[in-house]
Amino acid sequence: MNPDFTLIHLPHAAMVASPSSYIKKSTVAQSLIVVRQLKKTYWLGEVAVPALRGINLEIKKGEFVAFMGPSGSGKSTLMNLLAFLDVPTSGTYRFANVNTSDFNDNALAELRNKRIGFIFQQFYLLARTTALENVRLPLMYQHMKKSEQLERAETALHKVGLGSHMQHESNKLSGGQQQRVAIARAIVNNPDILFGDEPTGNLDSKTAKDIMKILQKLNQEGRTIVLVTHDTKVATYAQRIIHLQDGLIV
Ligand SMILES: Nc1ncnc2c1ncn2[C@@H]1O[C@H](COP(=O)(O)OP(=O)(O)OP(=O)(O)O)[C@@H](O)[C@H]1O
Ligand SMILES: [Mg+2]
């Protein structure tokens, strides 16, 4: 049967359940992210908190973008929506040319696991677990030989300059080293995009600079990077700074 014919006649639900089957990594479109009128309202009991009030945004493949803005302006909320950690109240989000609005939980999880990497201010590593095992973790949910998982995790750790610390337990590493393990874990799946919410927020300025140099190198290799930061020095590494205020881009 003509494969195109099969695809066209797949029930919608089946397509939704398996985005990787029809979102190809080699998509020719330049835009990785397109959002239109994205809104997010949180509810505190009866009180509506409009965290995002209509975001229009496009991020192209290979860009390095920083979100800045006052506390409470919606930076983390926006990043969480873009990274599929949360869902919008309304608006559309096209990722790699596919409208993700109808994706079910499984489809979103698959997208998150395969196409997205993220790092946070608090590194979120497993304590008393080696750097290597922390980095290998995202691969353990996939059908992949253990030897290949380890090889990929080792490569990622070498990339962030931690080749000599693979067997160190994460809680015995410095903050900067822990964030480097977190970066290695975030890129071990070779995601299209790496998100970071204040990734240098817990680090001194010298260590923050080391981390930014690693992110810069990853970007120069073609990885799209989106960071939230309060730090103007960190933002200078981005090609584009997007300012948020009261849930809107200004
Ligand atoms: N889970 C939640 N429930 C209710 N309100 C929330 C929730 N998360 C965020 N908010 C509210 O949404 C708005 C935006 O919050 P958000 O965390 O996105 O801001 P931010 O720009 O990341 O701030 P910061 O710089 O302090 O991290 C704020 O008014 C915040 O109080
Ligand atoms: Mg925040």
Side-chain angles (χ1 to χ4, degrees):
M1 192 189 288
N2 178 338
D4 288 335
F5 180 86
T6 319
L7 188 64
I8 290 162
H9 286 81
L10 267 178
H12 184 61
M15 293 182 70
V16 163
S18 181
S20 63
S21 59
Y22 65 99
I23 301 174
K24 295 281 177 267
K25 287 220 172 193
S26 59
T27 177
V28 288
Q30 277 291 100
S31 285
L32 186 59
I33 284 174
V34 179
V35 302
R36 292 285 172 253
Q37 282 303 313
L38 207 68
K39 296 183 183 174
K40 178 73 182 182
T41 301
Y42 297 107
W43 286 91
L44 294 173
E46 307 262 290
V47 181
V49 182
L52 296 177
R53 300 190 295 135
I55 299 286
N56 296 306
L57 172 68
E58 181 174 353
I59 295 175
K60 294 200 183 294
K61 279 190 181 172
E63 270 201 288
F64 192 149
V65 173
F67 293 153
M68 297 193 83
S71 183
S73 57
K75 305 181 296 294
S76 296
T77 302
L78 179 57
M79 206 204 80
N80 290 346
L81 295 185
L82 297 182
F84 302 105
L85 296 171
D86 200 358
V87 289
T89 307
S90 63
T92 60
Y93 179 7
R94 294 180 74 82
F95 181 84
N97 247 346
V98 173
N99 186 349
T100 59
S101 310
D102 297 332
F103 277 26
N104 61 21
D105 286 350
N106 285 343
L108 290 174
E110 190 177 338
L111 206 52
R112 214 162 40 227
N113 294 342
K114 299 210 169 138
R115 316 273 318 249
I116 308 279
F118 26 69
I119 51 176
F120 301 93
Q121 186 170 351
Q122 310 84 348
F123 326 116
Y124 294 128
L125 300 176
L126 291 183
R128 294 182 297 282
T129 304
T130 63
L132 187 62
E133 287 302 315
N134 267 284
V135 175
R136 187 185 150 213
L137 206 66
L139 303 175
M140 289 167 76
Y141 305 105
Q142 298 179 22
H143 299 289
M144 190 186 289
K145 275 198 228 144
K146 187 178 174 187
S147 58
E148 193 187 339
Q149 290 176 8
L150 291 171
E151 200 181 302
R152 284 220 210 171
E154 285 170 13
T155 304
L157 280 163
H158 279 293
K159 235 183 165 59
V160 298
L162 278 183
S164 57
H165 288 67
M166 296 200 266
Q167 297 301 337
H168 285 55
E169 291 187 351
S170 67
N171 48 304
K172 292 179 184 153
L173 296 171
S174 71
Q177 289 170 332
Q178 289 188 45
Q179 192 59 298
R180 284 197 268 164
V181 174
I183 293 172
R185 183 182 57 187
I187 61 170
V188 75
N189 258 332
N190 194 26
D192 300 81
I193 184 163
L194 180 59
F195 290 100
D197 195 348
E198 304 269 7
T200 59
N202 272 351
L203 305 173
D204 62 80
S205 57
K206 154 85 176 65
T207 310
K209 196 171 165 186
D210 295 342
I211 293 296
M212 290 314 298
K213 290 246 182 289
I214 290 170
L215 296 178
Q216 187 174 46
K217 192 164 137 255
L218 291 173
N219 175 248
Q220 283 162 355
E221 290 169 8
R223 185 101 44 209
T224 313
I225 298 188
V226 176
L227 298 184
V228 167
T229 185
H230 277 114
D231 186 339
T232 46
K233 278 207 205 83
V234 165
T236 58
Y237 287 84
Q239 296 146 359
R240 182 153 67 108
I241 300 175
I242 294 171
H243 293 274
L244 277 98
Q245 199 173 334
D246 296 329
L248 289 171
I249 290 174
V250 289

